[in-house]
């Protein structure tokens, strides 16, 4: 039996193998890292800094200072950090950071060379990227605050250090998520080399295959394939049964059963909708709040509502197949909106009422809308979400222009992003209620009408997709 | 938007009449002009080489695809799945329908039953019987992703056979099934035919053909004749 090679021998063997793969030019990792850093820095500097600064100077500085120092802000910041950490770990379980191409995995990672040696370069890239992105975010946030007269140089330094720590921590959690797939050994690996050595060939290979599938699916506009690749297998509440009843109640119960069997997704959806309801209520009631709050809220709400609307997407997946259910295609799509919309309202209305009450106590006598407008705004938000969810589910296949090299990426991005863009625009409109004064009832009514029109458009898209298969 | 209504079928299934149906996409012919006549309550089996247009023909017969030329009538009504009468009569398995990731096999059938207005008091027994009929009764609490490819095909057959309808259109129902299961499926389909359902089935399976066929439509075997009988009783 061959003896395990020493570290030096491993390095030598790896160098030889890499020379065969890449020749004298090397792997190009450093060049790719530098180029990526250059792009991120340019975009961050040109767009990020100016956008953040504009956001800060367009808000009431006194309100911003008070808001930043409040317990709620600290709580929101803590929740955001924990949420990012959980997200990084979760993403690591689906697609880890250390995923070389398939031939590299089969020929090098599967060889007797120390796994840390083989993946070390990629692990360093991960660490440096985390550090770099964290520092950049710190510089942007701190710099924008200083530029808007809201912070000092010390605040910039603090933001940079905080950003760097957060970036490295998120990179580590991403790797920890990938590492968590491996069965636990006798000791708990926490160092980078130990975690990398623990990675199993099968897991890395599965992630590489998934990356290839998802990449292909996204480029081809086949979001169903991408979604199924990412979605975890459901095995919960197996013995719980779908109770038969009327058409409407059974379809609603189906969606509720889905929430019980995929509780993580349902909780994420409820949290997303809940958080965005609070933001919308704040944007509507507080004239000093930044106007962009409404747009941010709708981005979160779009993702949250989407997590609750699995049934709608499945109807779209079945477009063109012979019908199995005794309801029409469009009716089925609409029925699958009942459960997510009801759940979203059940979560959004109390939160909006709470924010409204807190605002009324805090800002008694100050100018601003009546707290009831927050309830109206989140109701419109849910209607809008129902509409854009239909738009997203029934968007069909990408336009032919998406495959023309010169304009393809832009067309594809537009095709993917249209529902989200509509949601964000709706969020901005809702946020503008705060400035509407006497026109608020008219504006709110108009926004509700717009949301209903978007639902009607979504149903029309469903019809078009259904008929498109008859061609 | 229409909300389905349960159809209680009685008597024989519909007569299916296709006259000169063809399909061309751009300049690519998917199906040459084909005619067929499947009498009520009969079983018509369709054969032919790969790419001859069997699946295309079945989609046209089921009313999910518009023919380029010709027409299809189901008991005198144009075959168009947008027509709720057609939807209520035609149960078809043409490729794999997408299943819910979060529903067990039993839940899927319960959902189908509820949307067709089935009796909720007897639903559970009927669902269990439908799964047992195709030999997957013991898998009722599994999720679709926990099935083998053969079990998945049996599940899809159970979905199709469970919904009401008196015209069954199936595209290679035997695929991925072992010999024993093929015979089970053939007997099940024969029982449906004997009960009055009209069957139109594309298949390459000799056992299924022997047990089921009242009539065979050969779409052709291309330039090189395939082994076996090259032409059938129905016109096409």
């Amino acid at each position: 039996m061959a003896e395990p090679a020493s570290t030096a021998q491993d390095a030598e063997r790896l160098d030889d193998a890499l020379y065969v793969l890449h020749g004298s030019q090397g792997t190009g990792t450093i060049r790719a890292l530098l180029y990526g850093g250059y792009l991120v820095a340019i975009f961050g500097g040109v767009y990020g800094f100016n956008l953040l600064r504009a956001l800060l100077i367009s808000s009431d500085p006194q309100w911003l200072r008070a808001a930043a120092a409040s317990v709620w802000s600290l709580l929101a910041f803590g929740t955001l950090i924990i949420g990012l950490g959980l997200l990084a770990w979760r993403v690591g379980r689906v697609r880890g950071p250390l995923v070389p191409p398939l031939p590299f995995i089969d020929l090098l990672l599967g060889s007797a060379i120390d796994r840390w040696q083989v993946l070390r370069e990629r692990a360093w890239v991960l660490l440096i990227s985390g550090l770099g992105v964290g520092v950049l975010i710190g510089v942007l946030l701190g710099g924008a605050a200083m530029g808007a007269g809201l912070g000092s140089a010390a605040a910039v330094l603090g933001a940079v250090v905080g950003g760097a720590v957060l970036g490295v921590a998120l990179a580590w959690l991403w790797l920890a998520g990938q590492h968590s797939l491996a069965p636990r050994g006798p000791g708990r690996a926490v160092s980078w080399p130990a975690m990398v050595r623990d990675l199993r060939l099968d897991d890395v290979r599965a992630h590489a295959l998934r990356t290839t599938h998802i990449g292909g699916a996204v480029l081809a506009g086949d979001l169903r394939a991408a979604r199924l690749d990412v979605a975890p297998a459901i095995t919960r509440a197996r013995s719980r049964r779908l109770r038969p009843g009327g058409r409407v109640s059974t379809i609603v119960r189906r969606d509720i059963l889905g929430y019980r069997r995929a509780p993580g997704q349902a909780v994420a959806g409820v949290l997303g909708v809940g958080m965005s309801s609070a933001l919308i209520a704040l944007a509507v009631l507080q004239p000093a709040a930044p106007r962009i709050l409404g747009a941010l809220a709708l981005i979160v709400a779009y993702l949250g509502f989407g997590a609750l609307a699995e049934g709608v997407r499945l109807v779209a997946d079945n477009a063109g197949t012979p019908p199995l259910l005794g309801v029409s295609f469009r009716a089925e799509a609409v029925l699958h909106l009942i459960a997510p919309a009801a759940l979203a309202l059940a979560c959004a209305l109390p939160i909006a009422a709470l924010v409204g009450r807190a605002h009324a106590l805090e800002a008694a006598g100050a100018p601003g809308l009546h707290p009831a407008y927050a309830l109206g705004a989140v109701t419109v938000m849910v209607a809008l979400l129902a509409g854009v969810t239909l738009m997203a589910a029934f968007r069909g296949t990408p336009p032919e222009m998406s495959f023309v090299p010169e304009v393809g990426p832009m067309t594809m991005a537009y095709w993917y992003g249209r529902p989200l863009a509509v949601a964000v625009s709706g969020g901005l409109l809702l946020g503008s209620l705060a400035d509407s004064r006497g026109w608020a009832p008219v504006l709110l009514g108009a926004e509700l009408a717009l949301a209903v029109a978007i639902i009607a458009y979504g149903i029309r898209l469903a019809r078009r997709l259904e008929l498109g298969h008859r061609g | 938007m229409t909300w389905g209504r349960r159809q209680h079928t009685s008597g024989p299934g519909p007569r299916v009449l296709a006259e000169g149906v063809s399909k061309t996409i751009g300049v690519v012919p998917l199906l040459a002009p084909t005619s067929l006549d499947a009498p009520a309550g009969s079983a018509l089996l369709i054969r032919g080489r790969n790419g001859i247009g069997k699946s295309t023909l079945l989609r046209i017969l089921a009313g999910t695809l518009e023919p380029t030329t010709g027409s299809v009538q189901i008991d005198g009504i144009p075959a168009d799945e947008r027509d709720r009468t057609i939807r209520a009569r035609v149960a078809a398995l043409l490729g794999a329908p997408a299943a819910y990731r979060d529903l067990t096999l039993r839940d899927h059938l319960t959902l189908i039953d509820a949307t067709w207005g089935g009796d909720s008091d007897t639903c559970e027994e009927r669902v269990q019987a439908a799964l047992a009929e195709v030999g997957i009764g013991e898998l009722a609490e599994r999720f679709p992703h926990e099935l083998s490819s053969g079990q998945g095909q049996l599940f899809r057959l159970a979905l199709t056979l469970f919904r009401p309808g008196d015209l069954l259109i199936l595209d290679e129902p035997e695929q991925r099934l072992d010999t024993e299961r093929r015979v089970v499926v053939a007997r099940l389909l024969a029982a449906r035919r004997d009960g009055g359902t009209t069957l139109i089935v594309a298949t390459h399976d000799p056992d299924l053909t022997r047990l089921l066929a009242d009539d065979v439509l050969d779409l052709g075997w291309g330039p090189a004749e395939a082994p076996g009988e090259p032409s059938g009783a129905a016109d096409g």
Side-chain angles (χ1 to χ4, degrees):
Chain A
M1 195 164 64
E3 290 292 317
S6 68
T7 305
Q9 283 172 317
D10 271 348
E12 196 178 321
R13 287 178 189 179
L14 184 65
D15 283 347
D16 284 348
L18 292 178
Y19 185 83
V20 172
L21 285 174
H22 303 289
S24 56
Q25 291 190 325
T27 59
T29 308
I30 302 297
R31 279 195 303 277
L33 181 67
L34 287 174
Y35 184 63
Y38 163 76
L39 285 182
V40 169
I42 290 287
F43 275 95
V46 172
Y47 297 108
F49 175 77
N50 290 320
L51 195 70
L52 280 169
R53 188 170 165 275
L55 169 68
L56 294 176
I57 58 175
S58 66
S59 311
D60 179 348
Q62 271 187 334
W63 181 83
L64 268 182
R65 272 196 206 95
S70 72
V71 179
W72 293 107
S73 289
L74 289 176
L75 204 64
F77 183 69
T79 309
L80 179 70
I81 300 295
I82 293 170
L84 282 175
L86 284 173
L87 183 68
W89 187 82
R90 186 78 193 85
V91 169
R93 287 182 65 83
V94 178
R95 203 284 187 191
L98 302 187
V99 182
L102 278 166
F104 187 95
I105 294 170
D106 288 342
L107 300 174
L108 281 175
L109 203 63
S111 73
I113 304 174
D114 176 22
R115 199 148 282 178
W116 166 245
Q117 288 275 354
V118 177
L119 293 175
R120 188 174 55 179
E121 194 176 62
R122 286 182 160 79
W124 275 110
V125 168
L126 170 67
L127 178 65
I128 293 167
S129 302
L131 186 70
V133 171
V135 166
L136 182 68
I137 290 173
V139 166
L140 288 178
L141 284 174
M146 195 174 149
L150 291 167
S152 61
V156 179
L157 191 64
V160 170
V161 173
V165 171
L166 181 65
V168 173
L170 289 179
W172 184 87
L173 280 167
W174 191 12
L175 178 59
Q178 186 178 11
H179 173 256
S180 70
L181 295 167
R184 287 274 158 82
R188 180 170 292 204
V190 287
S191 73
W192 291 61
M195 284 202 291
V196 172
R197 284 194 183 101
D198 265 1
L199 295 177
R200 286 192 311 183
L201 189 69
D202 268 5
D203 295 329
V204 180
R205 205 169 189 286
H207 282 203
L209 273 171
R210 188 173 292 153
T211 307
T212 311
H213 288 164
I214 293 173
V218 169
L219 287 177
D222 183 2
L223 286 180
R224 176 173 184 256
R227 211 172 63 240
L228 292 181
D229 252 319
V230 173
I234 291 172
T235 53
R236 276 172 193 269
R238 183 187 300 277
S239 56
R240 197 172 286 282
R241 293 180 184 187
L242 176 63
R243 211 152 37 84
R247 292 184 186 92
V248 177
S249 60
T250 309
I251 288 181
V252 172
R253 278 205 287 263
R254 188 235 80 82
D255 288 337
I256 294 169
L257 184 60
Y259 300 151
R260 300 186 78 150
R261 285 186 173 149
Q265 193 174 332
V267 168
V270 167
L271 283 178
V273 172
M275 201 187 301
S276 45
S277 306
L279 291 176
I280 281 287
L282 191 64
V284 168
L285 297 178
Q286 178 51 266
R291 292 283 75 84
I292 205 167
L293 218 54
L296 290 176
L298 261 289
I299 292 173
V300 179
Y302 176 79
L303 299 173
F305 195 87
L308 301 174
E310 177 85 7
V312 180
R313 285 191 292 273
L314 197 97
V315 178
D317 292 345
N318 267 328
T321 61
L324 281 171
L325 302 190
V327 290
S328 74
F329 187 75
R330 284 174 298 163
E332 193 188 344
V334 173
L335 289 177
H336 276 300
L337 282 173
I338 295 175
L343 189 56
L345 279 175
C347 159
L349 287 172
I351 289 176
L354 276 176
V355 174
R357 187 172 162 72
H359 177 72
L361 289 175
E362 193 180 292
L369 293 177
H370 188 275
Y373 279 98
L375 300 179
V378 293
T379 306
V380 171
M381 178 187 83
V382 172
L384 187 66
L385 290 172
V388 293
T389 299
L390 287 173
M391 276 181 72
F394 297 100
R395 51 158 75 92
T397 49
E400 283 176 17
M401 293 277 279
S402 307
F403 304 104
V404 176
E406 291 79 13
V407 293
M410 283 86 81
T411 314
M412 189 68 101
Y414 165 74
W415 179 76
Y416 274 124
R418 207 170 48 161
L420 180 60
V422 171
V424 167
S425 309
L428 282 172
L429 275 176
L430 283 174
S432 70
L433 270 174
D435 300 322
S436 61
R437 300 179 189 278
W439 286 96
V442 178
L443 194 56
L444 192 62
E447 285 167 10
L448 182 61
L450 187 68
V452 172
I454 292 167
I455 293 176
Y457 177 62
I459 294 173
R460 199 169 144 223
L461 285 181
R463 182 69 176 154
R464 195 198 292 174
L465 184 64
E466 182 190 9
L467 296 182
H469 286 268
R470 295 183 54 80
Chain B
M1 214 173 338
T2 53
W3 310 83
R5 186 182 300 159
R6 186 171 175 77
Q7 291 275 323
H8 294 281
T9 56
S10 57
R15 175 189 180 198
V16 181
L17 186 63
E19 290 176 330
V21 289
S22 71
K23 185 70 188 176
T24 305
I25 304 270
V27 293
V28 181
L30 298 184
L31 174 69
T34 303
S35 299
L36 64 84
D37 184 357
S42 69
L44 170 66
L45 270 70
I46 299 173
R47 303 189 307 186
R49 67 167 166 80
N50 293 135
I52 196 75
K54 296 186 294 297
S55 301
T56 304
L57 175 59
L58 292 185
R59 286 185 64 198
I60 292 171
L61 295 177
T64 61
L65 185 68
E66 202 78 52
T68 307
T69 63
S71 66
V72 178
Q73 306 263 317
I74 297 175
D75 257 358
I77 302 170
D80 184 339
E81 63 83 25
R82 289 171 296 182
D83 181 340
R84 58 190 291 181
T85 318
I86 296 296
R87 277 208 306 276
R89 299 197 79 166
V90 180
L93 179 56
L94 311 171
Y100 286 100
R101 292 186 311 119
D102 50 16
L103 289 192
T104 60
L105 308 196
R106 178 181 7 233
D107 294 335
H108 276 90
L109 268 64
T110 304
L111 180 65
I112 289 176
D113 194 56
T115 59
W116 287 102
D119 177 7
S120 50
D121 291 337
T122 60
C123 177
E124 194 173 326
E125 295 87 67
R126 287 184 290 111
V127 163
Q128 196 54 45
L131 290 171
E133 198 175 42
V134 294
I136 52 172
E138 75 283 7
L139 308 179
E141 286 188 359
R142 285 207 190 171
F143 292 95
H145 62 84
E146 296 173 329
L147 302 176
S148 71
S149 61
Q151 290 167 341
Q153 175 67 359
L154 289 168
F155 169 52
R156 289 188 282 276
L157 276 168
L159 291 175
T160 311
L161 296 175
F162 190 63
R163 57 146 289 180
D166 56 6
L167 170 59
L168 260 178
I169 299 178
L170 307 172
D171 193 2
E172 298 185 25
E174 77 280 5
Q175 59 182 290
R176 303 189 189 91
L177 302 185
D178 59 38
T179 313
E180 194 183 326
R181 294 281 179 233
R182 286 177 185 211
V183 174
V184 169
V185 168
R187 289 196 178 129
L188 254 176
L189 296 180
R192 282 297 177 100
R193 178 204 55 198
D194 296 344
T197 301
T198 307
L199 259 69
I200 299 179
V201 182
T203 183
H204 293 291
D205 185 56
D207 289 335
L208 203 66
T209 309
R210 181 173 50 79
L211 285 165
L212 207 56
D214 291 320
D215 209 348
V216 175
L217 168 64
D218 260 333
L219 292 183
W221 299 96
E225 292 282 319
E229 311 92 322
S231 62
D235 46 349

